[in-house]
Amino acid sequence: MIVNDQPYGSERPYNALRLASALSKREQAEVRVFLMGDGVACAVAGQNLPDGHYHLDRMITGLLRRARVGCCGTCLDARGLSEDQLVDGARRSTLEELTEWTLWADTTLTF
């Protein structure tokens, strides 16, 4: 699954992570999520949001128990983000790894 959108500008990242979480609970599914573009900000730890609002960083933390999450390194750099700002388990990745994941996958979804 590839997530491109900024965390709270639309509900695309929220819906992508909801679907990834649901899929990851299925025994026959192995889920990998790649955050790129503004989507890398979804994995920034400690997001401060109003009460009652969903927290994408917490959703990713829960997802990491059953899935892999990679963040585009070039996209992190372009936004002044470092790997130590990400939730534990989300990691800096590369376009080469995304290429490998895409070739590996039976289905690729883009949000």
Side-chain angles (χ1 to χ4, degrees):
M1 191 169 294
I2 301 169
V3 179
N4 289 288
D5 276 9
Q6 62 185 328
Y8 302 101
S10 75
E11 291 189 351
R12 283 188 203 111
Y14 171 67
N15 288 323
L17 294 175
R18 288 177 52 216
L19 179 57
S21 181
L23 286 168
S24 72
K25 294 174 185 171
R26 301 291 177 107
E27 190 173 307
Q28 69 272 27
E30 183 178 341
V31 176
R32 298 178 187 181
V33 176
F34 194 88
L35 305 173
M36 62 187 320
D38 288 335
V40 296
C42 295
V44 172
Q47 296 174 15
N48 187 11
L49 298 160
D51 289 339
H53 207 286
Y54 57 86
H55 289 252
L56 296 177
D57 57 334
R58 294 178 191 169
M59 292 176 74
I60 289 173
T61 297
L63 178 63
L64 280 162
R65 288 182 227 134
R66 299 176 304 276
R68 293 165 67 180
V69 176
C71 300
C72 171
T74 303
C75 304
L76 288 169
D77 292 345
R79 287 151 184 83
L81 298 172
S82 62
E83 189 171 13
D84 64 327
Q85 293 176 278
L86 304 177
V87 297
D88 289 337
R91 60 184 181 69
R92 183 181 184 91
S93 188
T94 63
L95 187 61
E96 180 61 30
E97 184 168 53
L98 175 59
T99 301
E100 291 171 14
W101 287 7
T102 302
L103 292 171
W104 161 85
D106 293 329
T107 303
T108 302
L109 302 173
T110 303
F111 287 82

